[in-house]
Amino acid sequence: MTETLPADVALVLEAVLGEDDPVHLALRRQVPHLRVQSRCTCGCGTAYFALDTHAVEPAPSGPGTVVAAEVLVLAEDGECPGKVLVFAQGGYLSWLEVCSWSDGAEVTLATAERSLRRGRRPSPGAEAPG
């Protein structure tokens, strides 16, 4: 696939998949082969991927659909209005989801990226499958 990922998606994936565990390492190797197939229409930034699965090995994340990574999105005031999740299906990157927990604070890939630049904080109890 020759299309590059949009910068917002690429930056957030890089930050969320930043751990050096085997699952994150394998998923990061898939990123150059991703393209965005579609995006959520609400403006949150959720992106659904198409991936050339013949070009990469699957991550050891197990069968089925799993949350391969998740991080909290923190506002500048320290509040947590949502989180970002990365899903894998059968070991391959599938989609990046942006979740907002209230109508009072807009959570988008741009706000997630700013939060991640300030310091990555995993969701409580979140561990990469393995």
Side-chain angles (χ1 to χ4, degrees):
M1 298 186 183
T2 58
E3 298 176 38
T4 58
L5 284 179
D8 59 346
V9 173
L11 288 169
V12 171
L13 277 174
E14 179 182 325
V16 174
L17 296 173
E19 293 180 14
D20 286 335
D21 67 71
V23 172
H24 286 201
L25 289 170
L27 292 174
R28 283 199 308 267
R29 286 192 290 271
Q30 295 176 12
V31 171
H33 303 278
L34 283 180
R35 68 179 174 81
V36 172
Q37 183 174 345
S38 64
R39 290 184 96 153
C40 182
T41 58
C42 80
C44 68
T46 292
Y48 302 93
F49 302 129
L51 174 66
D52 181 358
T53 58
H54 299 291
V56 293
E57 293 292 321
S61 60
T65 302
V66 299
V67 175
E70 63 182 302
V71 294
L72 298 175
V73 174
L74 299 176
E76 289 184 25
D77 63 4
E79 292 295 315
C80 180
K83 65 181 172 178
V84 174
L85 300 106
V86 176
F87 289 87
Q89 290 182 316
Y92 295 103
L93 285 167
S94 184
W95 79 92
L96 171 73
E97 188 162 333
V98 181
C99 301
S100 179
W101 293 328
S102 75
D103 292 334
E106 181 181 35
V107 179
T108 65
L109 274 183
T111 56
E113 196 262 325
R114 283 192 300 274
S115 170
L116 291 167
R117 264 189 282 143
R118 286 193 298 270
R120 187 176 181 280
R121 182 183 289 183
S123 293
E127 294 181 20

